[in-house]
Amino acid sequence: MMRHVDFYRSWRRREGLFRNSFSLENEQIITTEGATLWVMFTPGHSENHGCFVLQEENAQFSGDHVLGYGTTVLMDLQTYMLSLRKMLKFKPTRLYCGHGPYIKDGTDLLTRYIAHREAREKQVVNYLKEFTFEKDTFLRSSEIVDGIYLDTPAARKVLARDNVEKILLKQWREGHVQCYIKARDPYTTMFSEFKLPMNVFVRRLDPTLRWKYVGKAESSL
């Protein structure tokens, strides 16, 4: 988060650029003639993303968090889902998206966004559980992709793997799966448990990591 703050501060200080800009805080209120905006911190798509509630319409400017078409790229699934639910609590009428047309029924779209992400997450977890739970086996993220993205062209499977890895990281943080890495010695087949960062946005995971469903904690799905 701080590296983004430092970037924007240095950018703002350049001579002649953004001399009237200022930093926004979560729950800050911005008023102008005919409009009142409430700042809502919504990380997930990026670690410094924010949306705005237009109080006069009970609408939201959703930025890149929710688009007018398709689904957005995200950096962290766990915080992304929390932000979606935060937006849904306001039951917005419209969503004014950063890309694409506005959404007439914001509450309906947010509900469907959440359901879509939860369905894919459940599919990944169930597949991993089927092949690894209480068994001496692991799966790579690419093997999960090949097992559930059956109709996805090979060129798009890189994006699919990224989605699966975001799900696996979320599940690891919640205690439902374990992560393993192969020993450095090329002559051994031994694996050791691998600790991932808990509260840091991770752009990419090592594709050679192995995953195992353990079901130690009650799943939220």
Side-chain angles (χ1 to χ4, degrees):
M1 178 66 179
M2 286 307 299
R3 70 174 181 270
H4 291 288
V5 172
D6 292 339
F7 167 75
Y8 289 120
R9 281 175 178 163
S10 63
W11 189 29
R12 190 170 66 237
R13 288 171 184 158
R14 293 178 184 174
E15 185 62 30
L17 289 177
F18 296 90
R19 287 177 294 180
N20 296 322
S21 64
F22 56 91
S23 300
L24 298 176
E25 301 293 335
N26 187 45
E27 300 186 2
Q28 181 177 341
I29 295 176
I30 304 170
T31 58
T32 188
E33 185 177 352
T36 307
L37 294 176
W38 189 81
V39 180
M40 178 167 46
F41 181 45
T42 53
H45 165 73
S46 63
E47 56 190 311
N48 64 339
H49 191 277
C51 296
F52 299 89
V53 178
L54 178 59
Q55 294 186 353
E56 285 76 7
E57 297 182 13
N58 192 35
Q60 293 177 18
F61 292 94
S62 61
D64 290 334
H65 207 75
V66 176
L67 307 181
Y69 52 80
T71 56
T72 190
V73 175
L74 55 97
M75 286 182 63
D76 186 86
L77 180 61
Q78 192 171 37
T79 53
Y80 180 77
M81 296 298 289
L82 290 172
S83 293
L84 283 180
R85 292 188 173 92
K86 186 177 181 180
M87 295 169 69
L88 183 59
K89 284 183 179 179
F90 286 86
K91 299 187 182 301
T93 52
R94 291 182 173 184
L95 294 178
Y96 297 110
C97 309
H99 301 273
Y102 75 87
I103 304 300
K104 292 182 179 180
D105 189 340
T107 298
D108 175 69
L109 183 70
L110 287 171
T111 301
R112 288 190 286 114
Y113 250 57
I114 292 170
H116 169 74
R117 292 288 181 180
E118 286 182 339
R120 180 61 81 185
E121 185 175 358
K122 186 174 183 179
Q123 186 182 21
V124 169
V125 170
N126 286 343
Y127 190 86
L128 187 65
K129 182 178 180 180
E130 179 183 356
F131 287 96
T132 68
F133 186 50
E134 296 182 343
K135 299 175 183 177
D136 190 23
T137 55
F138 315 99
L139 288 181
R140 292 190 298 269
S141 57
S142 59
E143 293 172 315
I144 299 174
V145 169
D146 290 339
I148 64 177
Y149 286 84
L150 300 178
D151 299 322
T152 301
R156 295 182 60 85
K157 283 192 175 181
V158 174
L159 293 175
R161 192 187 74 203
D162 185 66
N163 286 334
V164 167
E165 288 174 350
K166 295 292 192 300
I167 291 170
L168 293 170
L169 177 59
K170 176 178 181 291
Q171 288 289 314
W172 181 85
R173 287 171 172 169
E174 294 173 354
H176 310 313
V177 307
Q178 288 179 344
C179 180
Y180 295 86
I181 191 168
K182 190 176 183 297
R184 293 179 180 272
D185 186 348
Y187 299 103
T188 183
T189 58
M190 297 294 293
F191 288 85
S192 58
E193 192 170 348
F194 186 71
K195 297 296 184 182
L196 296 161
M198 282 297 296
N199 299 306
V200 178
F201 275 53
V202 180
R203 288 187 176 273
R204 293 285 186 274
L205 291 175
D206 184 343
T208 66
L209 292 174
R210 266 66 166 185
W211 303 87
K212 182 180 183 67
Y213 180 84
V214 292
K216 289 183 178 179
E218 185 67 26
S219 176
S220 59
L221 298 175

